[in-house]
């Protein structure tokens, strides 16, 4: 392989730039040319493709977002769109592709591999919802953003003796809420993987209040539902003064943490190694601090698993 491509797709996450940098530098280290495909699969279809040099990825390791831009592209879900993409890759002489993104992006990568085009996936999403890797690029940064925000909200919660419902991202996964809730000593963590009765949550809040608790923090994963609605139910059914904060897109931005930069560097470089070894249709990941790879179709078929021991611990520590 003498020329490869790299693109970022789906939701952005902090550390994607560090992964792009690793792909470019590792490839050039092995005398392989790298082309950047801009705006995900949309740029692949339209041919928004440019050669990247060592200097193209200078001064980006510490920046959030993605220098290649990202997009959602409905056309790429069609066979016609995928064929157009492959035509562009052939036109530019690109022999293999690294796709940095979440599970949706991997579905696109899987299609390219099915059509005989070698593709390797790098998991980049703040949601940490991809099976086959303990962590995805961006999760650690988002987690730190969330706990910084909750620490601040906690000050006001204490001063005003209020109950705060804080809605965090994560799509259908509860990882961000669970880790943030545990890291911040939240009284209650609501995640989509566990179906908890609202009545029980209210009883627990009231018990805490009677015991003299001045405030409560409830972390709600967006996959459970609207934090605003949950806040209304608590306000209506208790005497607790309740406020809601939806953290929103601040969770997706910012300078990546050291953990995310190192993870992205390791995963990006590994993806290039795999392409050069002739491997395709795989995703790189990290398990027990070791770099691993899995077939993308297996990853997509597996359900996301919650760390049940961690959830149990969060319950035990928030009594
Ligand atoms: P993420 O990668 O963050 O999960 P999305 O689910 O939005 O983000 O997917 C990103 C893009 O991947 C989509 O806009 C589309 O271009 C492509 N994609 C998603 N699903 C498929 C599919 N089944 N076949 C081909 N491409 C897909």
């Amino acid at each position: 392989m003498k020329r490869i491509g790299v693109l970022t797709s789906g939701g952005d996450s902090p550390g994607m730039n560090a992964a792009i940098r690793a792909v470019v530098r590792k490839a050039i280290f092995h005398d392989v040319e790298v082309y950047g495909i801009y705006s995900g699969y949309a740029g692949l279809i339209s041919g928004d493709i440019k050669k990247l040099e060592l200097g193209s990825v200078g001064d980006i390791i510490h920046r959030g977002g993605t220098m290649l831009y990202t997009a959602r592209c409905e056309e790429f879900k069609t066979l016609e769109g995928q064929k157009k993409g492959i035509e562009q890759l052939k036109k530019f002489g690109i022999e293999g592709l690294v796709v940095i993104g979440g599970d949706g992006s991997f579905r696109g990568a899987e299609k390219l591999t099915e059509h005989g085009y070698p593709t390797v996936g790098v998991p980049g999403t703040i949601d940490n919802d991809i099976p086959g890797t303990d962590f995805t690029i961006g999760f650690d940064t988002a987690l730190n953003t969330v706990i910084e925000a909750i620490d601040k909200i906690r000050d006001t919660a204490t001063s005003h003796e209020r109950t705060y419902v804080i809605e965090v991202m994560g799509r259908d996964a509860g990882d961000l809420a669970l880790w943030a809730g545990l890291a911040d000593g939240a009284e209650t963590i609501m995640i989509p993987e566990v179906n908890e009765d609202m009545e029980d949550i209210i009883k627990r809040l009231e018990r805490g209040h009677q015991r003299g608790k001045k405030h409560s923090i409830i972390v709600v994963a967006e996959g459970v539902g609207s934090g605003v609605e949950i806040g209304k139910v608590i306000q209506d059914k208790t005497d607790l003064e309740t406020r809601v904060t939806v953290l929103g897109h601040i969770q997706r931005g910012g300078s990546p943490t050291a953990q995310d930069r190192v993870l992205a560097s390791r995963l990006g470089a590994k993806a290039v190694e795999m392409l050069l070894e002739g491997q395709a249709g795989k995703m790189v990941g990290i398990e027990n601090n070791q770099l691993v790879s899995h077939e993308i179709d297996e990853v997509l078929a597996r359900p996301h698993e919650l760390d049940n021991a961690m959830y149990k611990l969060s319950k035990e520590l928030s009594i």
Side-chain angles (χ1 to χ4, degrees):
M1 218 171 256
K2 279 283 146 216
R3 188 176 290 173
I4 65 169
V6 56
L7 62 79
T8 48
S9 164
D12 68 337
S13 71
M16 279 184 161
N17 276 327
I20 296 165
R21 173 180 177 273
V23 169
V24 172
R25 298 263 165 109
K26 179 78 173 174
I28 294 176
F29 177 81
H30 288 291
D31 290 324
V32 172
E33 289 180 340
V34 191
Y35 279 65
I37 295 142
Y38 289 78
S39 309
Y41 294 121
L44 182 58
I45 290 175
S46 67
D48 192 358
I49 300 172
K50 290 180 197 82
K51 190 172 178 202
L52 299 175
E53 309 288 353
L54 286 175
S56 315
V57 290
D59 204 25
I60 63 164
I61 197 166
H62 61 300
R63 294 187 201 280
T66 159
M67 66 162 279
L68 290 177
Y69 305 108
T70 183
R72 296 204 155 91
C73 172
E74 281 305 306
E75 192 184 354
F76 199 72
K77 293 183 181 170
T78 66
L79 180 61
E80 208 178 294
Q82 292 153 18
K83 281 189 174 161
K84 277 192 205 166
I86 290 175
E87 269 167 36
Q88 292 288 0
L89 289 165
K90 286 190 175 152
K91 194 171 110 191
F92 282 86
I94 299 167
E95 298 163 275
L97 183 66
V98 176
V99 170
I100 305 166
D103 61 343
S105 304
F106 288 174
R107 280 178 214 287
E110 178 61 11
K111 292 286 181 224
L112 289 174
T113 306
E114 279 172 21
H115 302 319
Y117 195 87
T119 306
V120 171
V122 175
T125 162
I126 65 162
D127 304 327
N128 211 41
D129 59 348
I130 312 259
T133 188
D134 293 342
F135 297 106
T136 56
I137 298 166
F139 173 68
D140 186 63
T141 307
L143 175 61
N144 279 284
T145 302
V146 171
I147 62 167
E148 201 186 321
I150 299 180
D151 285 347
K152 288 180 178 160
I153 290 167
R154 182 182 276 281
D155 289 345
T156 293
T158 312
S159 307
H160 289 267
E161 302 187 26
R162 280 178 189 154
T163 296
Y164 263 91
V165 174
I166 299 158
E167 184 190 306
V168 305
M169 285 180 144
R171 293 222 292 200
D172 297 327
D175 288 46
L176 200 50
L178 175 57
W179 281 68
L182 188 55
D184 238 303
E187 275 67 29
T188 297
I189 301 170
M190 295 174 72
I191 53 177
E193 293 88 345
V194 180
N195 201 353
E196 209 181 355
D197 195 17
M198 202 60 216
E199 294 297 323
D200 291 341
I201 290 171
I202 285 170
K203 270 189 216 145
R204 211 168 48 241
L205 282 173
E206 282 176 331
R207 264 204 314 273
H209 189 65
Q210 281 153 16
R211 230 177 53 224
K213 265 196 183 186
K214 296 285 185 213
H215 68 257
S216 287
I217 300 282
I218 301 160
V219 180
V220 180
E222 66 178 347
V224 170
S226 157
V228 173
E229 293 304 317
I230 289 166
K232 267 193 205 137
V233 173
I234 295 170
Q235 181 75 77
D236 287 350
K237 296 203 170 177
T238 68
D239 295 333
L240 304 171
E241 193 189 345
T242 307
R243 294 283 192 280
V244 178
T245 300
V246 179
L247 292 182
H249 278 104
I250 63 160
Q251 295 163 92
R252 288 251 291 266
S255 177
T257 59
Q259 284 281 2
D260 273 330
R261 296 181 201 189
V262 171
L263 177 66
S265 301
R266 292 174 77 187
L267 294 181
K270 171 85 174 166
V272 172
E273 259 173 35
M274 286 174 56
L275 273 183
L276 299 187
E277 284 165 5
Q279 299 195 56
K282 295 197 175 165
M283 178 199 87
V284 294
I286 189 153
E287 288 176 327
N288 302 319
N289 203 25
Q290 300 296 314
L291 293 175
V292 295
S293 69
H294 296 286
E295 298 286 341
I296 288 183
D297 56 356
E298 275 174 26
V299 168
L300 292 175
R302 270 165 60 182
H304 166 66
E305 277 171 23
L306 185 81
D307 188 331
N308 288 316
M310 195 183 287
Y311 182 73
K312 191 163 160 271
L313 176 66
S314 77
K315 284 278 193 198
E316 288 166 357
L317 300 187
S318 63
I319 47 169

